[in-house]
């Protein structure tokens, strides 16, 4: 029982990270019908930017960041900086890369996001090298920072990450619900052509949407730092978990993204423990779940069942 | 055969003859290793360009081919038999891994294959007995020319010629495939599944067949790599190999056989230019940037760039019918 609880708590931390990245993926999929394969790498770059903002030296780019007032920044402020960087990066990608390709085949849009994945990964490797970097957690992360529940340790970082996730969902929900841009975004998601006919500014709204999605990704990459070490391959694995989460939940459902993230996170900590799958192969359970969902129920748990006229 | 194609063949033949003459042994080995990758790119092209099923996981098939080769040689098979056996084996693996492609298409299939590419290295690390686990393993073969030729000091050229021959055989097979009933069926599946089914094309056969053949091509590439450099480890077949193969196929041009050749020319020249300029010590930046830029300026890839500007007057395919 204690062990079960412990494993659940461990899985919940990862689950929150996957869920945030999955929300970013879902936001873009809902509005544009596109899977952004570069989402993870955009997030990773932002994570490194956070690292630059909070380090006093030893990381490429701290020299440039040095003239920023008060640099090196405390962790929380640095993460906000990274989120802003992520927003700008995401918006720029939409405006200057994706927008000109509007109306081109789905294949060329996929190709571009794959190109961006390779490019951003290469750039990160080029700038910051392949060595893993320790990234401090914004929450108390010492060995004794935990709440004991039924003998299992619920770490404060896990609580913190879930707190942030809930805030993000609330803010995002409010943005979509109560702002003009949010309304426009929902309109585009539900029917793009009709939205454009009634004068919704498609381009501007999508730019903001991509920016927000990348900002959420940046947050995920910065928060994951508390648990693992940032290195250029980190986010590629994160991405496949996030994509699995988004698929299991239903690619166009934000609610599904969160539930999916939790499922993948828990599966990752429970399945190796109980079914004897070696930890190294923890990528297999989410992957198999994703394949099964795609084959049997492509719209996932909460997604819209696709209806096609033939 | 159009004049342009003939010219292309002539240039290729010249380059193929010139390469071993101008390169030293080490460079030639590196180039041979890249040239066999043309088969993997051709495999991606067949499944993505001709059949319309995106595969971001062909590195898995290259890797499986390499490890299969190593094991078949362990069993005592002669090299040529091991090469055929690993090709067939990877073809079967491709049929199995391609099964989701029967129901899943487009982005979702890209997702699945990308997941497979990421899961392959950890799987290989676990299968220690067959694959050498985390450290990798030697392949127990010396790829030397037969003794009666008496050209032992030019072994590298012999390897180059053998690989080139295998690659050519696959190209002839691929050429006859895409121009056969099956090839037309694949393009039909790509352009409109329902319509093809209505015309009596067996979608299941077409898709699994395409996946199997395309995987087998990549498997041959892996098997050849395993004997060109007799050491295989999981690190050689990470997700980036798959992405690079996909990038090469797109850069070269999807849906044309020439595209695969152009793709591998890109695979070869990018690192060379990189070395020469000394600008960047990783080629990923160039590949990624190339993929993004090419999507804008030449959506049909390098092959499209070279053939699109002036269609052959005798090919009967005129783009300016309105004039």
């Amino acid at each position: 029982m204690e062990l079960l609880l412990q494993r659940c708590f461990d899985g919940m931390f990862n689950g929150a990270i996957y869920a945030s990245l999955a929300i970013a993926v879902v936001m873009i999929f809902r509005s544009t019908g596109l899977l952004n394969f570069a989402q993870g790498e955009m997030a990773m770059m932002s994570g490194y930017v956070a690292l630059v903002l909070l380090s006093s030296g030893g990381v490429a780019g701290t020299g440039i960041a040095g003239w920023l007032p008060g640099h090196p920044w405390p962790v929380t402020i640095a993460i906000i900086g990274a989120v802003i960087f992520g927003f700008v990066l995401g918006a720029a990608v939409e405006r200057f890369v994706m927008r000109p390709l509007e109306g081109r085949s789905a294949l060329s849009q996929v190709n571009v996001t794959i190109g961006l994945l390779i490019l951003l990964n290469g750039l990160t490797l080029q700038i910051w090298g392949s060595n893993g970097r320790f990234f401090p957690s914004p929450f108390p992360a010492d060995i004794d920072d935990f709440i004991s529940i039924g003998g299992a340790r619920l770490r404060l970082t896990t609580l913190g990450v879930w707190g942030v996730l809930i805030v993000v969902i609330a803010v995002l929900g409010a943005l979509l619900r109560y702002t003009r841009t949010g309304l426009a975004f929902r309109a585009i998601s539900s029917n793009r052509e009709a939205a454009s006919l009634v004068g919704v500014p498609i381009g501007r709204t999508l730019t903001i949407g991509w920016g927000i999605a990348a900002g959420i990704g940046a947050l995920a990459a910065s928060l994951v730092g508390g648990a693992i070490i940032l290195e250029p391959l980190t986010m590629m694995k994160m991405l496949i978990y996030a994509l699995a989460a988004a698929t299991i939940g239903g690619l166009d459902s934000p609610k599904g993204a969160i539930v999916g993230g939790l499922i993948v996170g828990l599966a990752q900590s429970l399945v190796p423990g109980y079914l004897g799958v070696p930890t190294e192969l923890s990528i297999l359970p989410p992957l198999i779940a994703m394949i099964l969902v795609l084959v049997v129920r492509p719209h996932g748990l909460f997604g819209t069942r696709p209806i096609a006229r033939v | 055969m159009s004049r342009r194609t003939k010219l292309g063949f002539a240039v290729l033949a010249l380059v193929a003859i010139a390469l071993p003459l101008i390169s030293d042994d080490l460079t030639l080995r590196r180039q041979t290793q890249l040239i066999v990758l043309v088969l993997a790119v051709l495999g991606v092209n067949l499944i993505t360009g001709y059949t319309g099923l995106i595969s971001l996981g062909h590195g898995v098939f290259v890797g499986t081919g390499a490890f299969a080769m190593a094991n078949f040689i362990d069993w005592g098979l002669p090299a040529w038999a091991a090469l055929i056996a690993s090709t067939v084996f990877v073809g079967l693996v491709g049929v199995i891994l391609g099964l989701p492609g029967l129901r899943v298409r487009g982005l979702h299939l890209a997702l699945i294959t990308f997941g497979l590419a990421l899961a392959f290295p950890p799987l290989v690390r676990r299968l220690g007995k067959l694959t050498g686990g985390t450290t990798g393993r030697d392949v127990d073969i010396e790829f030397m020319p037969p003794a009666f030729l008496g050209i032992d000091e030019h072994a590298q050229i012999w390897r180059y010629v053998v690989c080139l021959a295998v690659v050519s055989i696959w190209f002839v097979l691929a050429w006859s495939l895409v121009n056969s009933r099956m090839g037309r069926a694949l393009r039909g599946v790509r352009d409109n599944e329902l319509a093809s089914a209505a015309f009596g094309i067996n979608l299941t056969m077409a898709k699994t067949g395409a996946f199997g053949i395309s995987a087998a091509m990549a498997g041959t590439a892996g098997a050849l790599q395993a004997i060109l450099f007799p050491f295989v480890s999981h690190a050689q077949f990470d997700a980036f190999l798959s992405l690079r193969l996909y990038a090469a196929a797109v850069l070269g041009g999807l849906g044309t056989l020439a595209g695969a050749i152009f793709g591998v020319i890109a695979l070869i020249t990018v690192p060379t230019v990189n070395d020469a300029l000394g600008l960047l010590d990783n080629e990923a930046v160039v590949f990624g940037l190339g993929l993004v830029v090419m999507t804008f300026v030449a959506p049909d890839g390098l092959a499209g760039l070279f053939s699109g500007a002036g269609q052959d007057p005798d090919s009967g395919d005129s783009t300016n019918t309105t004039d």
Side-chain angles (χ1 to χ4, degrees):
Chain A
M1 186 60 206
E2 201 180 308
L3 189 64
L4 174 69
L5 260 181
Q6 187 60 56
R7 283 180 173 151
C8 287
F9 290 157
D10 292 345
M12 275 172 67
F13 178 86
N14 285 335
I17 305 290
Y18 304 152
S20 342
L21 204 56
I23 290 177
V25 170
V26 165
M27 264 189 84
I28 289 177
F29 186 81
R30 252 177 95 102
S31 52
T32 60
L34 185 72
L35 276 184
N36 182 7
F37 281 94
Q39 197 81 58
E41 310 306 308
M42 285 158 74
M44 187 183 65
M45 246 194 152
S46 317
Y48 271 99
V49 168
L51 194 65
V52 168
L53 290 176
L54 61 82
S55 311
S56 51
V59 182
T62 37
I64 305 166
W67 52 262
L68 288 167
H71 184 269
W73 294 351
V75 182
T76 323
I77 312 290
I79 290 180
I80 294 174
V83 170
I84 294 171
F85 172 83
F87 182 90
V88 174
L89 179 64
V93 164
E94 198 285 328
R95 181 64 192 84
F96 299 112
V97 181
M98 302 317 294
R99 180 104 54 97
L101 289 178
E102 223 175 59
R104 291 272 282 277
S105 71
L107 190 64
S108 38
Q109 298 187 350
V110 177
N111 292 347
V112 160
T113 65
I114 291 167
L116 281 175
L117 189 171
I118 304 175
L119 173 64
L120 292 180
N121 191 284
L123 274 181
T124 313
L125 206 64
Q126 183 72 29
I127 302 173
W128 288 291
S130 59
N131 293 335
R133 306 276 188 171
F134 177 72
F135 190 98
S137 171
F139 310 109
D142 282 337
I143 194 85
D144 50 354
D145 283 326
F146 62 84
I147 302 170
S148 189
I149 300 176
R153 298 173 168 195
L154 178 57
R155 300 186 54 78
L156 292 186
T157 44
T158 310
L159 277 181
V161 170
W162 273 96
V164 171
L165 179 62
I166 289 166
V167 171
V168 165
I169 295 163
V171 170
L172 189 63
L175 277 178
L176 289 175
R177 182 86 182 74
Y178 298 113
T179 65
R180 229 184 136 68
T181 308
L183 182 65
F185 194 78
R186 283 185 293 146
I188 295 171
S189 308
S190 107
N191 189 336
R192 185 170 173 151
E193 272 175 33
S196 115
L197 281 176
V198 295
V200 170
I202 306 262
R204 201 178 64 207
T205 312
L206 283 183
T207 307
I208 295 174
W210 273 70
I212 293 177
I216 296 174
L219 196 59
S222 316
L223 290 179
V224 82
I228 51 161
I229 290 166
L230 207 54
E231 54 165 338
L233 270 175
T234 310
M235 288 316 279
M236 196 135 56
K237 283 182 204 130
M238 290 285 151
L239 179 72
I240 197 71
Y241 292 134
L243 287 171
T247 317
I248 292 169
L251 269 171
D252 59 352
S253 157
K255 184 170 68 178
I258 298 161
V259 177
L262 201 54
I263 292 177
V264 170
L266 288 178
Q268 214 190 356
S269 67
L270 290 177
V271 172
Y274 287 109
L275 293 184
V277 179
T279 337
E280 226 183 347
L281 293 182
S282 58
I283 188 174
L284 284 185
L287 183 65
I288 292 169
M290 181 176 85
I291 295 177
L292 283 180
V293 166
L294 282 177
V295 170
V296 180
R297 194 182 156 93
H299 50 286
L301 294 176
F302 300 102
T304 325
R305 183 186 286 271
I307 304 167
R309 186 179 170 150
V310 289
Chain B
M1 202 183 279
S2 71
R3 214 168 26 203
R4 194 177 294 274
T5 325
K6 278 183 201 153
L7 191 69
F9 271 120
V11 172
L12 267 185
L14 269 180
V15 173
I17 295 168
L19 262 186
L21 299 178
I22 55 170
S23 316
D24 56 274
D25 266 11
L26 209 64
T27 327
L28 190 61
R29 172 151 99 183
R30 179 88 195 111
Q31 281 162 343
T32 316
Q33 280 176 313
L34 285 169
I35 286 171
V36 300
L37 272 188
V38 74
L39 288 178
V41 178
L42 187 65
V44 177
N45 203 335
L46 185 72
I47 198 70
T48 305
Y50 282 92
T51 323
L53 303 170
I54 302 178
S55 168
L56 297 179
H58 258 59
V60 173
F61 301 129
V62 178
T64 313
F67 289 114
M69 187 74 178
N71 282 290
F72 284 133
I73 285 175
D74 281 353
W75 293 4
L77 289 186
W80 61 270
L83 184 66
I84 294 173
S86 11
T87 303
V88 172
F89 175 73
V90 178
L92 293 176
V93 171
V95 167
I96 294 166
L97 290 186
L99 286 180
L102 291 178
R103 282 192 56 120
V104 184
R105 339 179 10 116
L107 285 174
H108 295 164
L109 190 64
L111 245 173
I112 292 180
T113 48
F114 185 51
L116 292 175
L118 279 169
F120 185 67
L123 259 178
V124 165
R125 285 199 292 272
R126 289 299 303 186
L127 297 171
K129 275 206 183 113
L130 301 173
T131 62
T134 42
T135 45
R137 53 162 294 169
D138 292 320
V139 184
D140 187 19
I141 189 171
E142 273 188 76
F143 189 2
M144 293 301 277
F148 63 85
L149 285 178
I151 48 167
D152 277 9
E153 67 273 28
H154 296 301
Q156 202 54 55
I157 295 180
W158 163 256
R159 290 170 197 147
Y160 169 81
V161 171
V162 170
C163 288
L164 211 56
V166 176
V167 168
S168 313
I169 293 172
W170 256 127
F171 256 90
V172 172
L173 287 178
W175 187 80
S176 41
L177 175 79
V178 298
N179 290 309
S180 71
R181 187 175 188 276
M182 167 105 179
R184 287 187 292 276
L186 296 185
R187 270 166 286 174
V189 171
R190 176 190 65 192
D191 294 335
N192 191 334
E193 265 190 26
L194 274 176
S196 331
F199 272 104
I201 289 168
N202 185 337
L203 293 184
T204 314
M205 284 302 289
K207 284 183 180 178
T208 42
F211 239 109
I213 296 170
S214 130
M217 288 173 176
T220 309
L224 286 176
Q225 278 205 327
I227 54 174
L228 278 172
F229 184 79
F231 176 81
V232 281
S233 95
H234 66 95
Q236 295 164 306
F237 309 107
D238 58 2
F240 272 104
L241 173 64
S242 297
L243 290 179
R244 242 177 39 178
L245 293 175
Y246 184 80
V250 176
L251 282 177
L254 289 173
T256 57
L257 291 184
I261 298 174
F262 278 110
V264 167
I265 293 175
L267 271 180
I268 295 176
T269 44
V270 165
T272 319
V273 173
N274 234 349
D275 286 349
L277 296 177
L279 287 176
L280 303 157
D281 38 310
N282 75 67
E283 48 195 81
V285 177
V286 188
F287 265 108
L289 201 62
L291 198 51
V292 175
V293 171
M294 284 293 283
T295 313
F296 282 91
V297 299
D300 294 328
L302 289 168
L305 212 57
F306 279 86
S307 67
Q311 283 281 346
D312 256 357
D314 56 346
S315 70
D317 183 343
S318 170
T319 41
N320 303 329
T321 40
T322 45
D323 290 352

